[in-house]
Amino acid sequence: MEEKKVDWLSLLKGTAVGGVLLFLWNGLTQSFTPWGIKSIKELEDQATITETIARASTNGVYYLKDKVTAFIAVKPEAYYSMPRYFTIEFVTEVLVGGVLTAILLLTSTESIVTRLIIIGLVALAGIFSIDLQYWNWWGFSSIFTFGIAINRLVGYLLTGFVLIKFIL
């Protein structure tokens, strides 16, 4: 079997374009769909809860199991920074774009349908190993979990299609 040479230029272009497409896709779907961020509610009376949690720690993951079940990721108040969130989100999407591009480059001799099926399977692996586990263990709501799963699957497939047709 012949070893494929890495086409670095295509890998870089696909990574950049894929990352930007995924970042925009996730931003749009978070803004205009009823799931994801829009399905999360903020508690009205937070003072007592946040005081109690802050006394215990300002960093870590905790759970409650008295009357309700809650898993709480605790960070200092300064952690809530939109510029930091967007920067890390963008870098994350670029990394995903790189992985999708690498898969598409490695399968370049396959049909577009086969390549998109592979991308769909990669998305499903992420959904099953991340989203559904968070739904099970962390109690993420069904509307949040399945909405994010749909966004992930469709986003990967759209990005894969654009990369195949126009970039790679």
Side-chain angles (χ1 to χ4, degrees):
M1 188 158 124
E2 186 179 320
E3 189 174 321
K4 291 187 178 202
K5 293 187 182 192
V6 177
D7 179 355
W8 291 105
L9 183 58
S10 292
L11 182 60
L12 289 173
K13 284 192 318 190
T15 297
V17 170
V20 168
L21 288 173
L22 289 167
F23 183 77
L24 293 173
W25 171 258
N26 285 320
L28 288 171
T29 58
Q30 290 293 331
S31 297
F32 297 112
T33 59
W35 47 72
I37 298 302
K38 288 194 172 192
S39 71
I40 297 173
K41 298 176 182 98
E42 186 173 356
L43 290 174
E44 289 179 24
D45 181 21
Q46 297 181 23
T48 306
I49 296 168
T50 56
E51 272 182 41
T52 302
I53 292 170
R55 276 197 306 270
S57 175
T58 58
N59 196 15
V61 178
Y62 300 90
Y63 69 93
L64 307 170
K65 57 182 171 88
D66 185 19
K67 297 184 179 122
V68 298
T69 299
F71 293 90
I72 304 167
V74 178
K75 295 285 186 189
E77 188 175 4
Y79 183 84
Y80 193 84
S81 164
M82 282 304 183
R84 187 186 62 76
Y85 286 149
F86 280 118
T87 301
I88 293 173
E89 180 67 19
F90 183 73
V91 169
T92 301
E93 298 301 355
V94 168
L95 293 171
V96 174
V99 170
L100 296 180
T101 299
I103 291 168
L104 292 172
L105 288 171
L106 289 169
T107 59
S108 62
T109 59
E110 300 295 328
S111 72
I112 188 171
V113 171
T114 298
R115 294 166 87 192
L116 288 175
I117 288 171
I118 291 168
I119 294 300
L121 290 171
V122 168
L124 290 173
I127 289 165
F128 297 157
S129 65
I130 300 165
D131 302 325
L132 292 183
Q133 287 184 4
Y134 286 3
W135 173 74
N136 175 41
W137 288 100
W138 292 88
F140 283 25
S141 70
S142 295
I143 190 168
F144 178 89
T145 300
F146 295 107
I148 293 297
I150 290 166
N151 291 353
R152 183 185 317 276
L153 179 60
V154 174
Y156 280 27
L157 290 172
L158 286 173
T159 299
F161 179 80
V162 169
L163 290 175
I164 291 168
K165 285 303 227 178
F166 305 106
I167 305 301
L168 306 178

